[in-house]
Structures are given as structure tokens and as C-alpha cells.
Amino acid sequence: RACVEQLLPFVDKWVFIDGGSTDDTLRILDSFKSDKILVVHRRYEHEHKGADGRQRNTYLGLIPDGVWVLVVDADEVISDTGYLLREIPRLAEIEGVRKIYDVHMVHYFWHLGLVDATLPEHWVPRRFFKKSEGMRYSEVEHPVLMGFPGDDGTGVDRLDPGVVLHHLSNARGLEHLVKKVKGILGEQ
């Protein structure tokens, strides 16, 4: 609910790819009664490592070229929506400006009680961009946008680090929390 409430006033269209929600996500989206929200039902293949990339390619195929895109998950909010409104017109007028940006992210676990401090700074790749022909996501567990000039990293910039995407993970108990933290640290 927090994600939609925050961003809905600032978007022209919200494409939500439902991978088979079993929680209240669809009911929450429906409660907004907004024609800005487009829900696409696409079964999420949890066992397939490329499922996240397939999900993202689904919405990418629905977005016309030339449109600015901010990729957020349902458990994320951004610190400064006004920044995006100020930056899009400015960036659109600058010749040769990079149109693909990494976004600074902070992870919170267990109802915001624990901040992930395993990295001094965490940047999620290519979460804010101007859509262009040929863009697609790799079909891996953590997909990265590619298919544009400079997708080797040379065509990517970072948004102002003061603009933070807050990832509000919810661990389902201490055992689940430990498993998540070990996954981040690369431990078994």
C-alpha cells in the first residue's frame, strides 16, 4: 500500500506484473480504483532462475519507447519523488546525457528493525531509464537491463545518492532473517 500511495500521483501509468500473488496485493491495488494501474497476470515460475527477468521483460514489452521508467518492487518506496519530477525534464533537454541510472538502495529487514549494513553503499542497477528499442532483461535471478548502447556499464550513470530506494523486506521470523542475511553475505 505504501509503495502505491507514494508513487501513484506521480506516474502516468503503473504496470504491475502479478506473478501469482497469494497475499493482499491484488486487493490493495484494486482498492485504489485507478485507471492508471494496469495489472498483468503472468504466472511466476519460482523454480526457474530466469523468472525475474521474464517478469520484467513482460512489462518492458508494454511500455512505449521514449517513456521514462522507474522500476520498483511492491516492497519499495523512494525517498524523494519530487527529484524525479525535477530531473526528467532537465535530463530530456541535455544532449548526450546518459538515460540509464542506477539507484541508491537501503535494505531494511524485519519490519524496519534491522538495516542491512553489509555494504557501505548499495546501488541497484538500471532502475531509472528512458525506454528505447532493443532493451531487455537478462533471464537470471537478479536481472539487469541490457540491449542499449553502453550496456557494458559505460552508458550508465548514478542518480543523486540522496535519492534512496528503500527496500522494506519482511522476514518471516528469525530463521528466515538469518537465511536472507547469509544469502547477502554469500554464506551457506
Side-chain angles (χ1 to χ4, degrees), residues 10-187:
F10 298 96
V11 301
D12 295 323
K13 189 60 118 184
W14 188 310
V15 179
F16 180 84
I17 306 299
D18 172 45
S21 299
T22 57
D23 57 12
D24 285 341
T25 302
L26 295 176
R27 184 189 57 74
I28 291 169
L29 287 170
D30 189 50
S31 73
F32 284 93
K33 307 277 186 246
S34 174
D35 58 357
K36 289 183 178 183
I37 298 174
L38 170 65
V39 177
V40 176
H41 300 282
R42 185 183 188 291
R43 190 177 77 74
Y44 193 84
E45 304 152 324
H46 294 279
E47 67 282 352
H48 188 278
K49 293 288 187 197
D52 291 345
R54 289 179 184 174
Q55 293 290 91
R56 291 193 178 191
N57 282 327
T58 299
Y59 75 69
L60 203 56
L62 298 170
I63 298 170
D65 291 347
V67 172
W68 282 95
V69 177
L70 173 65
V71 179
V72 294
D73 291 340
D75 57 357
E76 296 173 349
V77 293
I78 195 160
S79 63
D80 185 359
T81 51
Y83 174 85
L84 300 177
L85 293 175
R86 292 186 303 273
E87 283 301 288
I88 289 172
R90 187 185 72 76
L91 294 172
E93 293 179 6
I94 301 173
E95 282 294 319
V97 70
R98 292 184 177 131
K99 303 261 194 300
I100 317 262
Y101 297 89
D102 294 347
V103 180
H104 185 208
M105 178 177 272
V106 173
H107 291 274
Y108 301 90
F109 294 110
W110 215 351
H111 301 291
L112 307 182
L114 177 64
V115 175
D116 172 16
T118 58
L119 298 170
E121 276 192 346
H122 177 65
W123 292 83
V124 285
R126 306 166 188 190
R127 286 287 200 98
F128 182 56
F129 58 90
K130 188 172 188 179
K131 165 95 173 8
S132 64
E133 185 178 346
M135 286 181 165
R136 68 191 183 292
Y137 284 96
S138 51
E139 290 193 7
V140 296
E141 190 171 4
H142 297 287
V144 176
L145 185 67
M146 56 187 180
F148 58 90
D151 69 1
D152 60 355
T154 59
V156 179
D157 208 345
R158 289 181 166 178
L159 279 185
D160 182 310
V163 177
V164 178
L165 196 57
H166 299 276
H167 182 92
L168 311 173
S169 276
N170 184 13
R172 295 178 296 275
L174 188 56
E175 185 177 312
H176 187 240
L177 175 65
V178 169
K179 183 179 178 182
K180 282 183 149 197
V181 171
K182 283 184 175 182
I184 290 169
L185 296 174
E187 298 176 9

